[in-house]
Amino acid sequence: MAEKRQQNRKSRDFKGRDKKADTFKTHEKKQQEKPQSAQEELSGEMIAGKNPVLEALRAGREINKLWIAEGVKKTGVQELMDLAKEQGVLVQFVPKQKVDKLAENHQGIVASVAAYDYAELDDLFNAAKAKNEDPFFLILDELEDPHNLGSIMRTADAIGAHGIIIPKRRAVGLTAVVAKASTGAIEHVPVVRVTNLAQTVDELKDRGVWIAGTDAKGSADYRKMDATLPLALIIGSEGKGMSRLLKDKCDFLYHLPMVGHVTSLNASVAAALLMYEVYRKRQEANG
């Protein structure tokens, strides 16, 4: 994936943009631009906030345009501005009211980017091979809340998971809200979108990956998990949990002990606990 992104970055054609040093202007010396319609300005996904935009630039995402609110301290966004200049990204300094109309919780920075590309299953295996590690994937069973997906991606990046698998139907995809919630992790965690999760689980098994899921009844404590195996962990949806079909395909079922009054945890919280248990045990196994 990293090589693919680098190639995309190198071959990108910034049509209509002057790459000379004097292209990048501050708001005191704004670029002269042709008038754009609202539809042209808002083409593609919108990502907002310093860190999400900065990570997009670092990862070589194709950014159509970058808006920075007047009054934002340049010392706080210098790296962002340098990367934009290096990549030939069109930057415009505008009144804060303009940025408010483009996105919420923007910290004075909004970018219009090309739609996110999904990875292939082989990309996930290659990511594990590049690190000389046994595969560790997340399978999200019809997760619908973009904030949960973004949070899971953030934790997956933190613990070094090799990728996430989601279904095409009845599930959230890679959107601007997910990007914001992931605080930039979306640029580093490959996501595969498949037509049939059950068939994908069968393929993973054929390729030597063990499948683990969560079940409150008749399952082992998650702290007894053998996390050193090539592993794919299924996280159920917010309302229904893991489907019966996928549960039947699991090699292992674990539960999270709870002594309070609630019967379940938020999907992203449960996923974080399980991911860190995998991370902890793999770290111990590697000394």
Side-chain angles (χ1 to χ4, degrees):
M1 281 294 292
E3 293 178 359
K4 185 178 179 181
R5 284 175 175 162
Q6 279 295 104
Q7 291 172 357
N8 289 340
R9 178 176 172 180
K10 290 178 181 178
S11 63
R12 191 172 304 129
D13 179 19
F14 295 96
K15 294 182 179 179
R17 300 174 188 172
D18 183 0
K19 295 184 179 180
K20 295 179 181 179
D22 61 357
T23 311
F24 192 80
K25 308 284 187 180
T26 63
H27 67 280
E28 291 85 4
K29 297 180 180 180
K30 295 179 183 177
Q31 294 179 331
Q32 296 296 320
E33 301 178 46
K34 293 181 180 180
Q36 289 181 302
S37 68
Q39 185 176 0
E40 288 175 324
E41 282 199 334
L42 300 179
S43 61
E45 292 280 356
M46 304 297 291
I47 56 175
K50 176 185 173 183
N51 287 333
V53 174
L54 184 58
E55 290 300 331
L57 285 164
R58 287 172 176 168
R61 274 296 294 288
E62 184 171 352
I63 295 182
N64 303 319
K65 188 173 180 180
L66 175 62
W67 293 270
I68 300 178
E70 294 172 346
V72 171
K73 292 183 179 179
K74 294 187 180 64
T75 54
V77 294
Q78 191 60 53
E79 182 182 1
L80 185 150
M81 294 168 68
D82 290 343
L83 285 170
K85 178 180 179 180
E86 177 186 325
Q87 297 178 26
V89 175
L90 183 62
V91 179
Q92 184 178 16
F93 287 84
V94 296
K96 181 177 178 296
Q97 292 85 342
K98 165 77 172 181
V99 183
D100 289 339
K101 293 179 181 179
L102 295 171
E104 298 179 352
N105 304 318
H106 49 67
Q107 299 174 298
I109 300 167
V110 176
S112 171
V113 299
Y116 287 93
D117 292 328
Y118 290 95
E120 301 293 335
L121 200 57
D122 283 342
D123 294 323
L124 273 59
F125 282 94
N126 290 337
K129 185 178 180 180
K131 295 181 179 180
N132 196 28
E133 297 173 347
D134 284 321
F136 175 44
F137 309 144
L138 278 297
I139 300 173
L140 307 184
D141 185 12
E142 297 185 8
L143 206 70
E144 297 179 342
D145 187 334
H147 296 94
N148 276 339
L149 176 55
S151 180
I152 288 172
M153 295 186 77
R154 189 174 182 177
T155 306
D157 178 59
I159 60 93
H162 303 115
I164 294 174
I165 301 169
I166 62 174
K168 289 183 178 179
R169 298 180 60 192
R170 296 188 295 275
V172 65
L174 300 182
T175 66
V177 177
V178 172
K180 178 67 175 178
S182 78
T183 63
I186 196 170
E187 306 294 346
H188 307 290
V189 180
V191 176
V192 178
R193 203 177 194 190
V194 301
T195 302
N196 190 307
L197 279 182
Q199 290 179 1
T200 301
V201 167
D202 289 338
E203 181 179 348
L204 290 174
K205 285 186 169 187
D206 291 341
R207 298 178 71 167
V209 177
W210 297 79
I211 310 299
T214 56
D215 181 37
K217 299 178 180 178
S219 58
D221 189 309
Y222 82 104
R223 290 167 291 188
K224 296 180 180 179
M225 181 192 311
D226 184 352
T228 60
L229 299 168
L231 189 66
L233 182 64
I234 300 177
I235 304 298
S237 66
E238 296 89 353
K240 299 178 295 183
M242 185 170 50
S243 70
R244 182 69 187 180
L245 179 59
L246 291 184
K247 185 183 296 184
D248 290 342
K249 290 181 177 292
C250 287
D251 299 300
F252 312 104
L253 290 172
Y254 300 104
H255 71 270
L256 297 164
M258 290 181 285
V259 296
H261 302 289
V262 298
T263 58
S264 64
L265 295 174
N266 173 274
S268 64
V269 173
L273 289 169
L274 292 163
M275 281 190 275
Y276 263 98
E277 184 65 9
V278 173
Y279 173 76
R280 182 181 71 82
K281 289 192 171 177
R282 289 193 172 194
Q283 289 292 102
E284 288 179 353
N286 293 329

